[in-house]
Amino acid sequence: MRLKKDDTVKIIAGKDKGVVGKIVKVDPEHERVYVQGANMVSKAMKKRTQQDKGGISQIEAPIHVSNVALVTKNNEATRIGYKVENGKKVRIAKKTGEAI
């Protein structure tokens, strides 16, 4: 998987198209990412302790990696490629060629 935690991505398809956010969690087994503040769903939470609040809360649901694109420093969506520099494999932005 080319995307990593804390990458800034833009959602390119779905109900939250155009939203830019940070990746909170990556699930490589199912090829999904959790983007902060995007794809919010309501979940009923059970009250576990006396101090714990129960009720309905909003949480992020996973988004397939094909529906997000990495955002470069100048705020344009790009794909990710790899290049070997000085014996190290680095991620590069396909549009600009700069290292990520």
Side-chain angles (χ1 to χ4, degrees):
M1 184 174 276
R2 294 165 188 246
L3 294 170
K4 299 189 182 323
K5 186 178 175 184
D6 293 330
D7 280 347
T8 304
V9 293
K10 182 177 188 178
I11 299 176
I12 56 174
K15 70 176 185 179
D16 288 324
K17 183 177 179 177
V19 174
V20 176
K22 228 177 205 179
I23 294 181
V24 178
K25 183 179 170 185
V26 178
D27 183 7
E29 187 178 326
H30 297 106
E31 295 183 342
R32 299 194 177 265
V33 293
Y34 293 79
V35 179
Q36 186 176 19
N39 200 22
M40 301 298 282
V41 294
S42 298
K43 182 175 181 178
M45 302 294 275
K46 194 173 195 178
K47 188 173 182 180
R48 301 265 183 224
T49 64
Q50 291 285 8
Q51 295 82 21
D52 192 17
K53 284 219 171 195
I56 298 171
S57 63
Q58 295 282 324
I59 61 165
E60 289 111 0
I63 304 170
H64 196 269
V65 293
S66 65
N67 295 329
V68 297
L70 188 79
V71 174
T72 59
K73 291 176 183 121
N74 48 357
N75 291 332
E76 55 181 11
T78 183
R79 292 177 303 175
I80 302 170
Y82 288 98
K83 192 186 225 181
V84 177
E85 290 179 354
N86 300 330
K88 282 194 168 187
K89 187 175 171 183
V90 293
R91 295 190 306 162
I92 61 164
K94 287 275 193 171
K95 268 190 183 173
T96 59
E98 65 186 32
I100 298 169

